[in-house]
Amino acid sequence: MTGAAEPEAKQRLLHSSVSAYGSMLLRLLLAFAARAILARLILPDVHGLFDLALQFVVMASAIRDLGLTHHLMRDPRESYGTVLAWSLSVGAAMSLALVAFAGVFSYLNPDLPNVLRGLAVWIVIDAAIMVYRTFFERRLRIREIAGFEILRSLVYGLIAVGLAHLGAGVWSFVAGELLASALFAVLLLWRARGRVKLDVDWQRLRGLLRASRYLFVVWAAAQVFNRIDIYIIEIFSTTTFVGYYGQAYYFAFLVALTVTPRPLLPALVEFREKAAEFAETLRLGTLVFLAGIVVSAYFLFFNAEKAVQVVLGPGWDDTVPLLRVLCLVPLVDVFTTTGGEALKVQNRDRLWVTTVVLNMLALIGFGFLFTYLWGPIGMAWANFLRIGSLLMFLKVLGIFAGRRRRLVASLAQVYLLPLPFFIAVAVLLPTGSWARLIASIAAAALAGGLLTLRFLPDYRRFFRTATTGAETAGDADIGTTS
């Protein structure tokens, strides 16, 4: 990377970060509003049925890709056409197979096969979304599609709520997901028109599959790991409790899944030849990610009763104990997300595979045992036993050779600085009260402000070279022209 290219990359990283988190905030609000309304219109067992079906097609999409769309982010040849052709053709075949054989899953729930058939085409729609979204993310051009992401969330909410109001039940979710995703895919294709090379080279496919094989295992294992718990609950409990657990999991991981540092991976690709820049990019990306999940975890832990009452309404009381446990799980799994991106860039795929598979095996093993012994709450507790996350943390420390003390100190401050605000609220105000909820909102704002004051100088120092470098490059251009 040249001296002029590095500041330009930092400028694109800054713009993409602002766009990504701005889009995230609006989508978060839209999703929150839709969830609150739908929880009052549709019974928990219907929510559980849709969770079972949607997660199934998401896992099917991981098998469809075989890691190829994730490999595109680092592929120097940018084989968009080849990957798109593969994903669409395999996705179409899988959709047809799902329609034909959905009946075998009726043992989980007799209504599940029909919902799976309805969602089958999502596997094809998602194939196009994954390739074209990767194109924009790789170039740190997230702001070009941020508006489309917001529109997708809005359309889903309007369709799902409208149909739910008319009594469409689970098909409200299905129609909302399919139509919103299809619209998003069309908008991505329109924005990328003429900019993506769609040459198809089937001879290149074998090499691409070989290079992406570990990414596929990571992605597939992550999908199983993230939501295998609902199938375990379905085996030992009921679809209604799948609905309770699904809502608790959604809110517990809402910030962790939404604030995922999307610009981090392409930024790490830009700086992979510079150890100091690479490590600092990883640290700053992790701090943003961690700050969001820490504040949200503390808020939900101390306000689980009122949060469920306000957002979901009556009939969801069994969600409260599940939420109080699950909301703390993201706090022990930070580097599985950001550290995994760093390992991907360094082509250390086998190490990343090891950490994810260890987490998956631990969750399945302990999940079956704990759910058998204690019911759905046991599944929630099993999420803490993420053996691979410890291995990931130790390996990430190796990236910060000579900078580990700064990393550990930064992480400790993010965990500890917000805590006194929430403890004070919990001590002074009664559980489940409006006063505690309102005071906790203020505590979250104060904690966010304190973290901003603490770490904003670090971000300014990191991005300052972008402005300085850009100005220097501009002066050089003027001098050359003269």
Side-chain angles (χ1 to χ4, degrees), residues 82-384:
T82 303
V83 174
L84 181 62
W86 166 272
S87 296
L88 290 176
S89 57
V90 174
M94 294 182 67
S95 296
L96 293 174
L98 182 58
V99 171
F101 300 107
V104 300
F105 301 102
S106 60
Y107 72 94
L108 286 173
N109 186 297
D111 296 321
L112 182 58
N114 285 334
V115 181
L116 286 174
R117 292 185 182 104
L119 276 174
V121 71
W122 186 89
I123 301 173
V124 178
I125 297 171
D126 181 67
I129 289 175
M130 289 290 287
V131 172
Y132 281 94
R133 186 167 59 188
T134 299
F135 169 78
F136 289 101
E137 290 181 349
R138 173 169 176 154
R139 283 163 173 71
L140 292 171
R141 301 291 184 185
I142 294 175
R143 62 177 175 175
E144 296 186 28
I145 62 172
F148 299 157
E149 294 174 334
I150 295 169
L151 183 61
R152 179 187 190 179
S153 297
L154 177 62
V155 169
Y156 169 79
L158 291 175
I159 293 174
V161 169
L163 290 177
H165 181 70
L166 296 175
V170 71
W171 299 104
S172 307
F173 299 121
V174 174
E177 187 65 43
L178 291 180
L179 293 175
S181 297
L183 175 63
F184 184 51
V186 169
L187 292 173
L188 285 177
L189 268 65
W190 172 75
R191 180 56 57 87
R193 66 193 186 282
R195 299 166 63 182
V196 183
K197 295 181 180 179
L198 296 177
D199 300 333
V200 178
D201 184 354
W202 293 114
Q203 293 181 345
R204 185 181 298 179
L205 182 61
R206 175 180 291 185
L208 291 171
L209 290 171
R210 186 184 305 112
S212 68
R213 64 190 185 279
Y214 292 116
L215 296 180
F216 162 64
V217 176
V218 169
W219 177 237
Q223 293 307 311
V224 172
F225 170 68
N226 284 335
R227 297 315 304 274
I228 191 66
D229 38 11
I230 63 175
Y231 297 101
I232 296 175
I233 290 173
E234 180 70 21
I235 291 171
F236 291 107
S237 186
T238 65
T239 306
T240 299
F241 267 95
V242 171
Y244 294 144
Y245 187 93
Q247 292 285 23
Y249 193 98
Y250 174 82
F251 288 112
F253 284 83
L254 180 59
V255 172
L257 294 175
T258 309
V259 185
T260 298
R262 290 170 56 195
L264 178 62
L265 178 58
L268 291 172
V269 172
E270 293 277 359
F271 303 131
R272 58 186 162 189
E273 302 300 331
K274 294 179 175 289
E277 296 283 359
F278 187 90
E280 186 65 359
T281 300
L282 179 58
R283 185 182 77 92
L284 294 178
T286 300
L287 292 180
V288 171
F289 179 60
L290 181 60
I293 64 176
V294 164
V295 173
S296 67
Y298 293 164
F299 180 88
L300 289 173
F301 180 80
F302 290 111
N303 296 277
E305 296 89 352
K306 188 58 69 176
V308 170
Q309 177 187 342
V310 171
V311 178
L312 301 179
W316 293 90
D317 292 345
D318 287 322
T319 304
V320 173
L322 295 169
L323 177 59
R324 182 164 281 121
V325 174
L326 286 170
C327 72
L328 299 179
V329 174
L331 301 183
V332 303
D333 198 29
V334 177
F335 279 113
T336 297
T337 298
T338 60
E341 302 289 71
L343 296 182
K344 184 192 300 183
V345 173
Q346 294 179 330
N347 291 308
R348 299 166 71 186
D349 296 343
R350 282 183 288 184
L351 175 57
W352 194 16
V353 166
T354 302
T355 62
V356 174
V357 170
L358 283 175
N359 279 339
M360 181 188 69
L361 294 177
L363 181 69
I364 293 175
F366 289 110
F368 269 101
L369 176 61
F370 291 177
T371 308
Y372 172 76
L373 294 174
W374 305 311
I377 195 69
M379 189 68 250
W381 282 110
N383 277 270
F384 284 98

Side-chain angles (χ1 to χ4, degrees), residues 389-434:
S389 298
L390 176 60
L391 175 62
M392 175 66 79
F393 178 71
L394 295 175
K395 295 302 180 181
V396 166
L397 287 180
I399 298 175
F400 290 86
R403 306 175 184 86
R404 294 170 188 166
R405 182 176 299 179
R406 188 183 188 196
L407 171 67
V408 173
S410 298
L411 297 177
Q413 290 173 56
V414 175
Y415 280 114
L416 296 177
L417 288 178
L419 194 55
F421 297 105
F422 289 97
I423 290 178
V425 169
V427 169
L428 296 174
L429 299 171
T431 301
S433 65
W434 284 103

Side-chain angles (χ1 to χ4, degrees), residues 16-32 142 146-147 149-150 153 254-262 288-289 292:
S16 287
S17 298
V18 172
S19 300
Y21 291 118
S23 169
M24 174 273 297
L25 178 60
L26 289 175
R27 287 184 289 120
L28 192 68
L29 294 174
L30 290 171
F32 224 78
I142 294 175
E149 294 174 334
I150 295 169
S153 297
L254 180 59
V255 172
L257 294 175
T258 309
V259 185
T260 298
R262 290 170 56 195
V288 171
F289 179 60

